[in-house]
Amino acid sequence: MQDKATISYDGKAADYPVIIGTEGEKAIDVGKLRAQTGCITFDDGYGNTGSCLSKITFIDGDQGILRYRGIDIAELAEKSDFIETAYLIIWGRFPTADERRAFEARLQEHAKLPESMTQQFQGFPKDAHPMAILTAMINAMSCHHQELFEIRNEADFTTATAILLSKIRLIAAYIYKHGTGDSLFVQPSDASGYTAQFLTMMFSWPGKRYVADADVARALDLLFILHADHEQNCSTSTVRMVASSEANLFTAVSAGVSALWGKLHGGANQAVLEMLQGIKDRGDSIESVIAKCKQKDSDFRLMGFGHRVYKNFDPRAKIIKVACDKVLDKLGKTDPLLQIAKDLEKAALSDSYFVDRKLYPNVDFYSGIIMRAIGIPTNMFTVMFALGRMPGWIANWKETNENPKARIYRPRQIYMGPKLRSYEEAKKG
Ligand code: ACO
């Protein structure tokens, strides 16, 4: 295989090294392109741009492969749990039994929120979007843990990781309670496992403790595993971008939460449910919804369909679809929205518009149905995604910081605005 590529422009040619990844992915290293040719690359939306070398997650979008640290997502979904998977993603290996116990003890130690943080909730309007509060509260951790601005050693990093992974649960639960108009927060008191404990925080009220059913907790844990990392997506790239300026871990992750919010990214799970609910309420036919996607000048999209990288199938969607049926069975529930989702999927997968564009259900198409069955309100769905994605953001922040050759991320642009003109000319319009 060739280990260099030649680029010629304006009569000048130069060779550029080709980097080959573990799984044979190839990249032309254009680091010296501007110096040698005067040109930069242009890649709108970064579809062809590798922004880093990473050892965390591998995706092959054409084959529908997703692996964390070399392990297939289906195997992790079957055999692992969220905390073990989080450890694997962040530290690159599974914990020993002692390491796991020690890490869980750290999570327990940081499960509560200090009074100063709970008081902050009072300043947010009751109808504020949960993602707006989540971003603010995670950034606020920078105020409450100034000792971790500089991560000086592994112990600091473990503490910051435990704080983020653990406290985000109670923050999420408080956001939910704040939105219901109730400010009687319940501090966690048991050690029933990460996800079961989160459900207890979410659904317990003073004097009424919620105990999660094991299968329900497992279903949510599975959702967290499936969301735990996804290489250089919009929010993770944002975390790396912020990390590259040597900003602290809390503030970098808070930026990731903001990037996740949009409906083309993590906000899709909320958008899917709203779309399905709208179809049901209006009594729209499946044919009319599919037709709406194809209308010229329509910006309507089937939420939960399509992916920048997966062009065959999203392996997470396959796992979730099965889990979805199981959870509803377990809870003895039927959900008319699940039937609409299945009918939409069937119609889209046999429609040339979707087939030609390689648009398949993504992880968010069915995840909302599971969360709804558990009792999580629609506007909290993206918060659940953020909870699951936390290990990936932390691992990517760590990798960026540990790179001895790291430079601040600073893309260039092609300026297409007006040529030089005077103040007076510009005022004339
Ligand atoms: N419904 C209908 N048409 C679609 C959809 C969709 N969901 N997604 C893409 N298309 C069409 C586009 O209109 C475009 O058609 P055209 O070639 O006729 O102009 C073509 O498919 C390619 O679309 P792009 O926007 O170029 O694809 P891109 O890779 O940039 O976008 C994205 C990927 C954002 C996920 C897109 O498919 C989308 O908007 N999906 C719906 C939102 C969603 O589910 N997001 C969650 C992503 S997964 C995650 O973040 C966990």
Side-chain angles (χ1 to χ4, degrees), residues 227 230 233 260 263-266 268 272 293 300-309 311 314 316 353-354 357 359 362-364 385 389:
H227 284 90
H230 213 238
N233 54 82
L260 185 73
K263 70 179 185 325
L264 297 191
H265 189 14
V272 170
C293 293
F300 177 79
R301 289 186 169 199
L302 209 52
M303 287 294 123
F305 256 72
H307 199 276
R308 171 59 63 79
V309 178
K311 298 298 176 195
D314 179 340
R316 303 166 301 172
Y353 174 91
F354 290 88
R357 288 169 180 75
L359 300 169
N362 59 50
V363 66
D364 286 328
F385 189 153
R389 183 53 55 86

Side-chain angles (χ1 to χ4, degrees), residues 111 113 117 121 133-134 137-138 141 163-164 166-177 198 201 380 383:
L113 289 182
M117 278 189 90
F121 279 88
I133 306 183
L134 184 65
M137 292 305 292
I138 291 193
M141 287 184 188
I163 289 171
L164 271 168
S166 197
K167 288 199 193 312
I168 189 177
R169 292 176 301 174
L170 199 54
I171 291 173
Y174 281 11
I175 291 172
Y176 166 56
K177 294 187 172 184
F198 164 64
M201 294 171 186
M380 286 291 294
V383 171

